[in-house]
Every structure is written in structure tokens, then in C-alpha cells.
Amino acid sequence: MSRRLLIIAIAEAVVVLIGVYGYATAFAPGASLGATGVQTITLTGAGATLSYPLLSAAAENYSSSHPGVAINYQPLGSIAGISQLTAKTVDFCVTYPPMTTAQRDAVAPNIPLHIPEAVSEVVVAYNVPGLTKLNLTGSVVADIYLGKVRYWNDPEITSLNPGQNFLNRTINTWHMSEAEGTTFVFTSYLSIVSPEFNQTIGYGTSVSWPTEYTDPTGHSFQITSDSVLTDAGVAGQMKLTDYSIGYMELSYALLAPLPYASLMNAAGNWVTPNLASALAAEGKLPQDLPPSDGDWQGINILNSLDPNAYPLVTFTYFIIYQNLSTLPTMDLAKARTLVGFAWYLIHDGQSLGAALGYDPLPAKVVQIDEVGLKSVVFQGQSLI
Amino acid sequence: MANQKRETLQDWRRFKDWLAYGLGALCVIIAVIPLASILIEVIGNGIATINLQFLTTVPTIVIGSGSGGGIGPAIQGTFILLGIAIVLAVPLGLMSGIYLAEFGDNQYGRSIRFLNDVFTEFPSIVIGILIYSLIVVATGSFSPIAGGTALAVIMLPIVTRTTEESIKLVPNSIRDAATALGIRRWRATISIVLSTAKSGVATGILLSIARITGETAPLVLTILGSQFFYYAWNQPIDALPLRIFRDASLPYAYARQQAWGAALILIAIVLGLNITIRLATRGKYDASRART
């Protein structure tokens, strides 16, 4: 009796294994390549949702022109990406903000290379039925998140938008619950333009958002505020929430689609996030940018003084180790592919960004990236 | 007079009976509503997505490009993970269960039983973190091995417990009969006790498989997720619960559609397992009850 059971069990196991094997060989990317003798190389990366649309498009394009290469990028959030790179479980990470001194110390003696890979714009998106155009200043956005402005027909909003009809509806704010580069960009900007925001909330990849506002006379007001994971989550939830406002990378607002506000820049002009306004912000880059293996913490192009610049513009960084031998799963072919993909990303890959709402890297940043990528080694061997 | 009194008493009893019956039925309806609503919602939203291409192709890599592609890698990944978990957990769980039921009536057995019960209720995310630090960090990559091990760890205490319970249901008279015939104890345990309890043991194993099929939390930390089919033992793979989790958080209509489709497939797998268990063991349960 038990022998029969054993035979059945073995037969079942065999069937399952054959099934899995057949399934794998029939559809795996390597299956069709096996015949042509091309080895499958896979790169694994994790990090910012900010750059996910661009990276996924670049990965798809690079794989189609390089048979046998599969690039797996998972948008876990900037901080999670850095943690995974530190634990050496991924080949690269993508992040905004740049690594902090503590994060660099954690990977020492390895040197993380910061390769600025895209210029992104963070937008203030809204979902208000009937409203297709909205002007906001940074300090009004700060007041909305602080809870000082809680209704769409608040004078602070209506005075910026003459001729538009606002209803007395509660503003539902959305923010990200996970440590995200987008939150860092957004809160950094609001901290620059609003001293009160800086004092009460401050800036960081995750901050503690207030749930109520207490006015000077001591009255408390509830703030209608919700949180969800990642840019994509905020965009998704805002589509379902009328009278909401939230922040996200431009490409998510374009893909959702959600309308987004024009902001008043540091020079006092109304600007919408687009190629021209991002290029204007890039024009105000400091002259002495650090090299790729240097510290990029001080570099930001937020709240640029250029009269045409959009204020919420940022670099995102593709980070790899300078000495790739440190990764346990690395080999020479994989290391070459990794650097090749990064090279593609900062050159040809930039053209993919236009349709997705990213802006091209300034020439001098591309030069820094090139020097950085040329310094990458695997077992003492240069890769480009 | 007395007759009338008896009649009212009977009416009262009948009313109480009816009331209890009604309340019972109401409870059943309340319990079934969430299940039915989930099934209707998932089938209604997911059925339109299901076709051969959806089940066998890879998802689109470029997000927001309109069509989402298929969930082939997720289905494949789920089966690979289940396979690894079964291979790791079932033999070990079976042996532990036999030990606890047949030989575990001592201090050592009691402490194992206690720890096993604690383990059953362990948060699966903690098991994910454990496997992450033991396997993912050590090998330097997210892998099906790590994911399968995490699921096996969740599965192990359930298999152990159900094996022990169903072996304990085997009447002592059968053991005595085996001993009386001069069969050695180990031989009697395997050929007679285990064989008698096998439907219960099989049920336990299938239930534990159904339980781990939908686990998401430990997978986030062990397989990472992927848009590609399995290609190496040390590379990330995809799984249905993870794909649903990631898709559902994307703002695009195609991603939500894909998530509904994946949810339908996942529910079909779990429901299929449960129905198989019911059909396979119904008769046997009745028979075993009649025997004792």
C-alpha cells in the first residue's frame, strides 16, 4: 500500500518537474538563444520609482538590440535600492537623493559611482472635476500640506487663479508612505520656499506628515491626508479621489494621466514643467561638479534662479560599484554588459526620455559620467 | 387545560427551534457573503483578460505602453516555488509529525510541539527577513531557492502538525494488532499507521500548499520579482501574488486588468487544490469514522 503511494508520489514529482522544465525551456528568453549560442546575461537593479518609466523603456530597447541581455529593474524606492546595493544583492541601483556620508561609509572600502542618468521633474498633480488649469506657488503648496489651506476655495488658491470657479470642497492631500526620492525633492523644495514647512515638517526621503493643523488661536483642524507606496501609487489613488492633490514624477502624471499645476519660480514667473523649463534649470548648474566617485550630496538644481526654470527639477543617479569584483554574482561578460547598459543610458537612452517626460542630461554631466564609467573595473580589467 | 398548556409549550419550543435554525442560517449567509463577493468580483473583472497569450507570455517591460502583456513568468514562478517548498518541507514535516505522534510523548517531544505551534503563527514577513539574511545576502542574489525555502519554512510546521494529528487518530488497536503479529515498530509505523492515516496526512499537505500559494510578504524579500521567465537558479523570478501586489499599485488601467487576471488564476489554483482535497478525502473520512 505504502509502496503504491510512493510510486504515485514519484510519478507526480516527475510530471511536475517535466512540466516546469518544458514550460521554462519553451518560453525562457534563453531558450531561443541557446540555439544561436548566445549566452543569457541578466542584470538586476532596484531603486527609485522616479526613474522606473525611463529605465524600463531603456531596458527594453537595450535588450532588443543586444540579444541575450535581460535587465530586471524593480522599483522598490530609492532607499531600498541603496540598501540592496549595500547588501550586494543587486548589480545596480537608481536613486535620488545621492548617497549620504553614512551610506557611503556603509559600503566602504568599495566606491559607489554616481552616474546622473536623467533629469526628472516633480509635479504637483491634482484631480478636481472640471479644473484643467491651476496656478500654485510653492508656499501655497506648503500651506496645503501644513493644513493651513484646507479648502479648494481658500483665498490663497483663488487669488492665484482669477476667473476660475472653485467649490468649497476639502482638499485631500496624498503623499508617499515609503522612503522615496520624490518625497525628498518635493519636501526639499517646500522647505526652501516656506520656513514654516521647514520648521514643522522638514525634508527627507520620508517625513512625518501632520494630520491636524492648530491655528494661532489654538483651534485644531483635521487635515484630509492619505498615503500610499510610490509615485505610481499616488497617481493611481489620485485618479480615484476627487478634489485631491499630490506630488509625483512628471512621467507618472503624463501616463496616468493627471493634470498638474504651474508653479511660480524663484524669479516670479509662472512655469509649467516641460523640456524648456528643465533645460533652463540645468543652465544654472554649479561650475565645479564633483566626479562620479565623489560626493554629490551638495548638488541640486531645485528652485533655480533662471527666469524660465521650473523649480522642482532633479538629477537621478545610476549607482554601481567602481570595482565590480566586489559583487558575488559578477563575471566579466556581465560586468561589460552592465557598463554597456549604463553607457547606453546616458547617451542614446536619453532620447527615450522625451516621450516619457524626462529631460536630457547636460553635456558636461555626460562627460563626468563617461569618465566615471571608464574607471569601472572588474578583476583589475577596464571594461570600456 | 393541560393539553392547551402543552400545546403552547410546544409552540414555544417550535419557535425556539425555528429561531435557532434561522440564526444559524443567517450566520452561514453572513459568512458566505464575503467569499461570494470576492469570487464574483474577481471572476467578473478577471475573466475578460484570460486567454492563452495572457497565460504564456511575458509582461510588457515598458510601463504605461498600453497593453500589459501576459503573466507567464508569474505562473511559472509560482509553480517553481511550490515545487521547491514541497521538496524541502514535506519529507521533513512528515518525519517530524511521525516522531511527535509515535515517539514524542516526552519532555523533548513536548518542547518540539510547543515550538512548532509557535512557529505556525510566526508572521510570514519575519520568515522572509530570516531567509533574506540567511540566503539572499549570503549568495548575493534574489533567487527561487530563497523564495522556495521561505515558503518551506512557513509550510513545515503546518505539515508537522497535521501529520501528527492525523496519526494520533489511528486507533491503538491497529498498533496493538501489528505488534501482536510480530511486526517491528518502525515497520508498523510506516506500513500500517501511516498508511491508515494517509488521507489525513495528504489533506494536511495539500492545505499547507494552498496556504503558501498566496503568500506575498516573504516573496518580496526573497525573489524580488522579474519580467522574465526562469533562467537561472540564482536569479530573481516572478510569482503570482507578487505580480498582483505590484500591478495593483500601478495607476494604469492595463496593470489593474492584469492584476485582476492574475488574481483569478491564483484563486483558481487555490480553490482547485481545496476542491481536490474535498473530493479526494470525503469518502475516506466517513469510512475512517465508521471504523472507529
Side-chain angles (χ1 to χ4, degrees), chain B residues 111-148:
Chain B
S111 50
I112 291 181
R113 198 173 294 118
F114 173 72
L115 290 175
N116 193 65
D117 286 350
V118 172
F119 218 10
T120 315
E121 302 303 323
F122 233 55
S124 57
I125 186 84
V126 177
I127 292 169
I129 295 168
L130 172 80
I131 301 299
Y132 173 80
S133 37
L134 283 183
I135 299 183
V136 177
V137 174
T139 60
S141 61
F142 295 90
S143 62
I145 303 291

mmCIF file of all heavy atoms in Angstrom, chain B residues 111-148:
data_model
loop_
_atom_site.group_PDB
_atom_site.id
_atom_site.type_symbol
_atom_site.label_atom_id
_atom_site.label_comp_id
_atom_site.label_asym_id
_atom_site.label_seq_id
_atom_site.Cartn_x
_atom_site.Cartn_y
_atom_site.Cartn_z
ATOM 1 N N SER B 111 8.519 19.879 23.970
ATOM 2 C CA SER B 111 9.097 21.182 23.642
ATOM 3 C C SER B 111 9.106 21.400 22.130
ATOM 4 O O SER B 111 8.864 22.516 21.663
ATOM 5 C CB SER B 111 10.503 21.335 24.234
ATOM 6 O OG SER B 111 11.280 20.220 23.912
ATOM 7 N N ILE B 112 9.351 20.332 21.356
ATOM 8 C CA ILE B 112 9.291 20.485 19.893
ATOM 9 C C ILE B 112 7.881 20.888 19.470
ATOM 10 O O ILE B 112 7.690 21.791 18.661
ATOM 11 C CB ILE B 112 9.687 19.169 19.187
ATOM 12 C CG1 ILE B 112 11.171 18.895 19.395
ATOM 13 C CG2 ILE B 112 9.376 19.246 17.695
ATOM 14 C CD1 ILE B 112 11.651 17.638 18.724
ATOM 15 N N ARG B 113 6.881 20.231 20.087
ATOM 16 C CA ARG B 113 5.492 20.520 19.748
ATOM 17 C C ARG B 113 5.165 21.977 20.051
ATOM 18 O O ARG B 113 4.534 22.668 19.248
ATOM 19 C CB ARG B 113 4.568 19.582 20.526
ATOM 20 C CG ARG B 113 3.166 19.489 19.950
ATOM 21 C CD ARG B 113 2.354 18.421 20.660
ATOM 22 N NE ARG B 113 2.864 17.081 20.434
ATOM 23 C CZ ARG B 113 3.331 16.271 21.399
ATOM 24 N NH1 ARG B 113 3.340 16.678 22.651
ATOM 25 N NH2 ARG B 113 3.782 15.073 21.102
ATOM 26 N N PHE B 114 5.631 22.431 21.204
ATOM 27 C CA PHE B 114 5.363 23.822 21.579
ATOM 28 C C PHE B 114 6.008 24.788 20.585
ATOM 29 O O PHE B 114 5.376 25.710 20.076
ATOM 30 C CB PHE B 114 5.890 24.089 22.997
ATOM 31 C CG PHE B 114 5.819 25.532 23.398
ATOM 32 C CD1 PHE B 114 4.595 26.130 23.676
ATOM 33 C CD2 PHE B 114 6.973 26.306 23.474
ATOM 34 C CE1 PHE B 114 4.525 27.455 24.016
ATOM 35 C CE2 PHE B 114 6.909 27.631 23.823
ATOM 36 C CZ PHE B 114 5.682 28.213 24.090
ATOM 37 N N LEU B 115 7.286 24.546 20.278
ATOM 38 C CA LEU B 115 7.991 25.430 19.347
ATOM 39 C C LEU B 115 7.336 25.394 17.971
ATOM 40 O O LEU B 115 7.218 26.413 17.289
ATOM 41 C CB LEU B 115 9.461 25.018 19.232
ATOM 42 C CG LEU B 115 10.295 25.289 20.474
ATOM 43 C CD1 LEU B 115 11.696 24.736 20.297
ATOM 44 C CD2 LEU B 115 10.342 26.784 20.767
ATOM 45 N N ASN B 116 6.890 24.201 17.575
ATOM 46 C CA ASN B 116 6.226 24.058 16.289
ATOM 47 C C ASN B 116 4.947 24.886 16.235
ATOM 48 O O ASN B 116 4.663 25.555 15.241
ATOM 49 C CB ASN B 116 5.911 22.580 16.057
ATOM 50 C CG ASN B 116 5.521 22.322 14.627
ATOM 51 O OD1 ASN B 116 6.321 22.495 13.725
ATOM 52 N ND2 ASN B 116 4.267 21.959 14.420
ATOM 53 N N ASP B 117 4.181 24.858 17.361
ATOM 54 C CA ASP B 117 2.952 25.656 17.409
ATOM 55 C C ASP B 117 3.260 27.142 17.334
ATOM 56 O O ASP B 117 2.556 27.904 16.682
ATOM 57 C CB ASP B 117 2.164 25.341 18.688
ATOM 58 C CG ASP B 117 1.479 23.984 18.592
ATOM 59 O OD1 ASP B 117 1.486 23.421 17.477
ATOM 60 O OD2 ASP B 117 0.968 23.498 19.613
ATOM 61 N N VAL B 118 4.324 27.555 18.012
ATOM 62 C CA VAL B 118 4.722 28.964 17.953
ATOM 63 C C VAL B 118 5.082 29.328 16.520
ATOM 64 O O VAL B 118 4.688 30.370 15.993
ATOM 65 C CB VAL B 118 5.923 29.232 18.888
ATOM 66 C CG1 VAL B 118 6.465 30.648 18.682
ATOM 67 C CG2 VAL B 118 5.523 29.030 20.333
ATOM 68 N N PHE B 119 5.808 28.409 15.869
ATOM 69 C CA PHE B 119 6.277 28.632 14.509
ATOM 70 C C PHE B 119 5.123 28.791 13.518
ATOM 71 O O PHE B 119 5.190 29.576 12.588
ATOM 72 C CB PHE B 119 7.138 27.442 14.101
ATOM 73 C CG PHE B 119 8.326 27.818 13.274
ATOM 74 C CD1 PHE B 119 8.694 29.150 13.113
ATOM 75 C CD2 PHE B 119 9.080 26.843 12.653
ATOM 76 C CE1 PHE B 119 9.792 29.491 12.357
ATOM 77 C CE2 PHE B 119 10.180 27.176 11.893
ATOM 78 C CZ PHE B 119 10.534 28.507 11.747
ATOM 79 N N THR B 120 4.033 28.014 13.769
ATOM 80 C CA THR B 120 2.876 28.083 12.878
ATOM 81 C C THR B 120 2.320 29.496 12.794
ATOM 82 O O THR B 120 1.865 29.936 11.749
ATOM 83 C CB THR B 120 1.770 27.129 13.384
ATOM 84 O OG1 THR B 120 2.373 25.897 13.730
ATOM 85 C CG2 THR B 120 0.706 26.905 12.335
ATOM 86 N N GLU B 121 2.375 30.189 13.932
ATOM 87 C CA GLU B 121 1.774 31.523 13.978
ATOM 88 C C GLU B 121 2.789 32.623 13.683
ATOM 89 O O GLU B 121 2.493 33.796 13.824
ATOM 90 C CB GLU B 121 1.130 31.772 15.356
ATOM 91 C CG GLU B 121 0.077 30.755 15.734
ATOM 92 C CD GLU B 121 -1.030 30.679 14.688
ATOM 93 O OE1 GLU B 121 -1.377 31.734 14.135
ATOM 94 O OE2 GLU B 121 -1.515 29.572 14.419
ATOM 95 N N PHE B 122 3.977 32.241 13.292
ATOM 96 C CA PHE B 122 5.021 33.228 13.024
ATOM 97 C C PHE B 122 4.625 34.128 11.858
ATOM 98 O O PHE B 122 4.150 33.640 10.845
ATOM 99 C CB PHE B 122 6.315 32.499 12.672
ATOM 100 C CG PHE B 122 7.477 32.934 13.496
ATOM 101 C CD1 PHE B 122 7.407 32.898 14.875
ATOM 102 C CD2 PHE B 122 8.637 33.385 12.898
ATOM 103 C CE1 PHE B 122 8.477 33.289 15.646
ATOM 104 C CE2 PHE B 122 9.708 33.781 13.659
ATOM 105 C CZ PHE B 122 9.625 33.730 15.036
ATOM 106 N N PRO B 123 4.825 35.467 11.991
ATOM 107 C CA PRO B 123 4.500 36.345 10.859
ATOM 108 C C PRO B 123 5.378 35.986 9.649
ATOM 109 O O PRO B 123 6.593 35.846 9.792
ATOM 110 C CB PRO B 123 4.844 37.741 11.377
ATOM 111 C CG PRO B 123 4.992 37.619 12.841
ATOM 112 C CD PRO B 123 5.362 36.203 13.124
ATOM 113 N N SER B 124 4.743 35.840 8.496
ATOM 114 C CA SER B 124 5.496 35.360 7.337
ATOM 115 C C SER B 124 6.549 36.374 6.879
ATOM 116 O O SER B 124 7.563 35.995 6.317
ATOM 117 C CB SER B 124 4.542 35.029 6.197
ATOM 118 O OG SER B 124 3.772 36.154 5.864
ATOM 119 N N ILE B 125 6.314 37.667 7.174
ATOM 120 C CA ILE B 125 7.302 38.675 6.761
ATOM 121 C C ILE B 125 8.605 38.480 7.531
ATOM 122 O O ILE B 125 9.698 38.688 7.006
ATOM 123 C CB ILE B 125 6.735 40.114 6.961
ATOM 124 C CG1 ILE B 125 7.672 41.178 6.395
ATOM 125 C CG2 ILE B 125 6.455 40.440 8.416
ATOM 126 C CD1 ILE B 125 7.504 41.406 4.927
ATOM 127 N N VAL B 126 8.487 38.033 8.798
ATOM 128 C CA VAL B 126 9.684 37.789 9.605
ATOM 129 C C VAL B 126 10.473 36.616 9.020
ATOM 130 O O VAL B 126 11.706 36.645 8.946
ATOM 131 C CB VAL B 126 9.303 37.517 11.078
ATOM 132 C CG1 VAL B 126 10.530 37.193 11.905
ATOM 133 C CG2 VAL B 126 8.574 38.711 11.657
ATOM 134 N N ILE B 127 9.741 35.597 8.565
ATOM 135 C CA ILE B 127 10.400 34.470 7.910
ATOM 136 C C ILE B 127 11.102 34.959 6.643
ATOM 137 O O ILE B 127 12.222 34.542 6.339
ATOM 138 C CB ILE B 127 9.372 33.359 7.609
ATOM 139 C CG1 ILE B 127 8.910 32.757 8.929
ATOM 140 C CG2 ILE B 127 9.979 32.290 6.701
ATOM 141 C CD1 ILE B 127 7.732 31.836 8.825
ATOM 142 N N GLY B 128 10.447 35.894 5.933
ATOM 143 C CA GLY B 128 11.075 36.487 4.752
ATOM 144 C C GLY B 128 12.390 37.159 5.105
ATOM 145 O O GLY B 128 13.400 36.980 4.412
ATOM 146 N N ILE B 129 12.402 37.922 6.191
ATOM 147 C CA ILE B 129 13.627 38.618 6.604
ATOM 148 C C ILE B 129 14.706 37.609 6.975
ATOM 149 O O ILE B 129 15.874 37.753 6.609
ATOM 150 C CB ILE B 129 13.339 39.566 7.790
ATOM 151 C CG1 ILE B 129 12.392 40.685 7.354
ATOM 152 C CG2 ILE B 129 14.632 40.173 8.328
ATOM 153 C CD1 ILE B 129 11.828 41.501 8.483
ATOM 154 N N LEU B 130 14.286 36.546 7.695
ATOM 155 C CA LEU B 130 15.228 35.494 8.088
ATOM 156 C C LEU B 130 15.907 34.893 6.861
ATOM 157 O O LEU B 130 17.142 34.819 6.790
ATOM 158 C CB LEU B 130 14.469 34.402 8.858
ATOM 159 C CG LEU B 130 15.260 33.136 9.191
ATOM 160 C CD1 LEU B 130 16.131 33.379 10.403
ATOM 161 C CD2 LEU B 130 14.341 31.957 9.433
ATOM 162 N N ILE B 131 15.107 34.506 5.870
ATOM 163 C CA ILE B 131 15.666 33.872 4.670
ATOM 164 C C ILE B 131 16.476 34.892 3.868
ATOM 165 O O ILE B 131 17.501 34.557 3.266
ATOM 166 C CB ILE B 131 14.542 33.258 3.808
ATOM 167 C CG1 ILE B 131 13.773 32.223 4.612
ATOM 168 C CG2 ILE B 131 15.108 32.628 2.550
ATOM 169 C CD1 ILE B 131 14.590 31.047 5.093
ATOM 170 N N TYR B 132 16.010 36.147 3.884
ATOM 171 C CA TYR B 132 16.768 37.192 3.189
ATOM 172 C C TYR B 132 18.194 37.255 3.726
ATOM 173 O O TYR B 132 19.163 37.240 2.979
ATOM 174 C CB TYR B 132 16.080 38.548 3.356
ATOM 175 C CG TYR B 132 16.880 39.712 2.820
ATOM 176 C CD1 TYR B 132 16.899 39.992 1.460
ATOM 177 C CD2 TYR B 132 17.634 40.519 3.673
ATOM 178 C CE1 TYR B 132 17.641 41.043 0.959
ATOM 179 C CE2 TYR B 132 18.379 41.565 3.187
ATOM 180 C CZ TYR B 132 18.382 41.828 1.830
ATOM 181 O OH TYR B 132 19.125 42.870 1.337
ATOM 182 N N SER B 133 18.322 37.287 5.073
ATOM 183 C CA SER B 133 19.674 37.423 5.626
ATOM 184 C C SER B 133 20.458 36.121 5.537
ATOM 185 O O SER B 133 21.676 36.143 5.419
ATOM 186 C CB SER B 133 19.621 37.948 7.072
ATOM 187 O OG SER B 133 18.532 37.413 7.758
ATOM 188 N N LEU B 134 19.754 34.973 5.575
ATOM 189 C CA LEU B 134 20.476 33.695 5.517
ATOM 190 C C LEU B 134 20.901 33.316 4.099
ATOM 191 O O LEU B 134 21.993 32.813 3.890
ATOM 192 C CB LEU B 134 19.603 32.566 6.081
ATOM 193 C CG LEU B 134 19.479 32.474 7.592
ATOM 194 C CD1 LEU B 134 18.643 31.274 7.976
ATOM 195 C CD2 LEU B 134 20.856 32.384 8.238
ATOM 196 N N ILE B 135 20.030 33.550 3.130
ATOM 197 C CA ILE B 135 20.317 33.058 1.778
ATOM 198 C C ILE B 135 20.595 34.189 0.782
ATOM 199 O O ILE B 135 21.599 34.173 0.081
ATOM 200 C CB ILE B 135 19.162 32.165 1.264
ATOM 201 C CG1 ILE B 135 19.017 30.959 2.179
ATOM 202 C CG2 ILE B 135 19.421 31.731 -0.179
ATOM 203 C CD1 ILE B 135 17.970 29.975 1.756
ATOM 204 N N VAL B 136 19.697 35.207 0.751
ATOM 205 C CA VAL B 136 19.853 36.244 -0.276
ATOM 206 C C VAL B 136 21.164 36.998 -0.091
ATOM 207 O O VAL B 136 21.946 37.159 -1.039
ATOM 208 C CB VAL B 136 18.655 37.221 -0.255
ATOM 209 C CG1 VAL B 136 18.859 38.334 -1.268
ATOM 210 C CG2 VAL B 136 17.373 36.480 -0.565
ATOM 211 N N VAL B 137 21.436 37.443 1.132
ATOM 212 C CA VAL B 137 22.668 38.206 1.364
ATOM 213 C C VAL B 137 23.893 37.308 1.192
ATOM 214 O O VAL B 137 24.889 37.701 0.599
ATOM 215 C CB VAL B 137 22.649 38.857 2.758
ATOM 216 C CG1 VAL B 137 23.978 39.516 3.064
ATOM 217 C CG2 VAL B 137 21.525 39.882 2.839
ATOM 218 N N ALA B 138 23.777 36.054 1.667
ATOM 219 C CA ALA B 138 24.926 35.148 1.587
ATOM 220 C C ALA B 138 25.285 34.815 0.144
ATOM 221 O O ALA B 138 26.458 34.777 -0.221
ATOM 222 C CB ALA B 138 24.636 33.872 2.364
ATOM 223 N N THR B 139 24.262 34.562 -0.701
ATOM 224 C CA THR B 139 24.570 34.193 -2.081
ATOM 225 C C THR B 139 24.689 35.418 -2.981
ATOM 226 O O THR B 139 25.122 35.317 -4.118
ATOM 227 C CB THR B 139 23.485 33.275 -2.683
ATOM 228 O OG1 THR B 139 22.247 33.989 -2.647
ATOM 229 C CG2 THR B 139 23.349 31.987 -1.928
ATOM 230 N N GLY B 140 24.257 36.566 -2.488
ATOM 231 C CA GLY B 140 24.369 37.789 -3.279
ATOM 232 C C GLY B 140 23.322 37.912 -4.361
ATOM 233 O O GLY B 140 23.486 38.704 -5.279
ATOM 234 N N SER B 141 22.258 37.138 -4.276
ATOM 235 C CA SER B 141 21.216 37.325 -5.278
ATOM 236 C C SER B 141 19.865 36.837 -4.764
ATOM 237 O O SER B 141 19.784 35.912 -3.958
ATOM 238 C CB SER B 141 21.569 36.570 -6.562
ATOM 239 O OG SER B 141 21.663 35.195 -6.288
ATOM 240 N N PHE B 142 18.825 37.499 -5.239
ATOM 241 C CA PHE B 142 17.473 37.021 -5.006
ATOM 242 C C PHE B 142 17.292 35.791 -5.883
ATOM 243 O O PHE B 142 17.789 35.753 -7.009
ATOM 244 C CB PHE B 142 16.464 38.091 -5.399
ATOM 245 C CG PHE B 142 16.544 39.324 -4.544
ATOM 246 C CD1 PHE B 142 17.365 40.381 -4.896
ATOM 247 C CD2 PHE B 142 15.814 39.419 -3.381
ATOM 248 C CE1 PHE B 142 17.455 41.515 -4.107
ATOM 249 C CE2 PHE B 142 15.889 40.541 -2.585
ATOM 250 C CZ PHE B 142 16.709 41.594 -2.949
ATOM 251 N N SER B 143 16.623 34.772 -5.376
ATOM 252 C CA SER B 143 16.565 33.539 -6.158
ATOM 253 C C SER B 143 15.343 32.707 -5.815
ATOM 254 O O SER B 143 14.746 32.864 -4.747
ATOM 255 C CB SER B 143 17.826 32.721 -5.894
ATOM 256 O OG SER B 143 17.877 32.370 -4.532
ATOM 257 N N PRO B 144 14.955 31.812 -6.726
ATOM 258 C CA PRO B 144 13.864 30.879 -6.416
ATOM 259 C C PRO B 144 14.210 29.991 -5.225
ATOM 260 O O PRO B 144 13.309 29.599 -4.481
ATOM 261 C CB PRO B 144 13.722 30.042 -7.700
ATOM 262 C CG PRO B 144 14.893 30.352 -8.537
ATOM 263 C CD PRO B 144 15.429 31.669 -8.112
ATOM 264 N N ILE B 145 15.500 29.707 -5.026
ATOM 265 C CA ILE B 145 15.901 28.887 -3.883
ATOM 266 C C ILE B 145 15.497 29.593 -2.587
ATOM 267 O O ILE B 145 14.897 28.999 -1.689
ATOM 268 C CB ILE B 145 17.435 28.666 -3.879
ATOM 269 C CG1 ILE B 145 17.903 28.022 -5.187
ATOM 270 C CG2 ILE B 145 17.854 27.828 -2.669
ATOM 271 C CD1 ILE B 145 17.481 26.602 -5.388
ATOM 272 N N ALA B 146 15.820 30.890 -2.504
ATOM 273 C CA ALA B 146 15.475 31.658 -1.302
ATOM 274 C C ALA B 146 13.963 31.695 -1.110
ATOM 275 O O ALA B 146 13.464 31.467 -0.003
ATOM 276 C CB ALA B 146 16.047 33.067 -1.402
ATOM 277 N N GLY B 147 13.230 31.990 -2.205
ATOM 278 C CA GLY B 147 11.770 32.070 -2.109
ATOM 279 C C GLY B 147 11.169 30.737 -1.700
ATOM 280 O O GLY B 147 10.305 30.671 -0.822
ATOM 281 N N GLY B 148 11.641 29.648 -2.332
ATOM 282 C CA GLY B 148 11.126 28.322 -2.022
ATOM 283 C C GLY B 148 11.414 27.934 -0.586
ATOM 284 O O GLY B 148 10.584 27.336 0.096
#
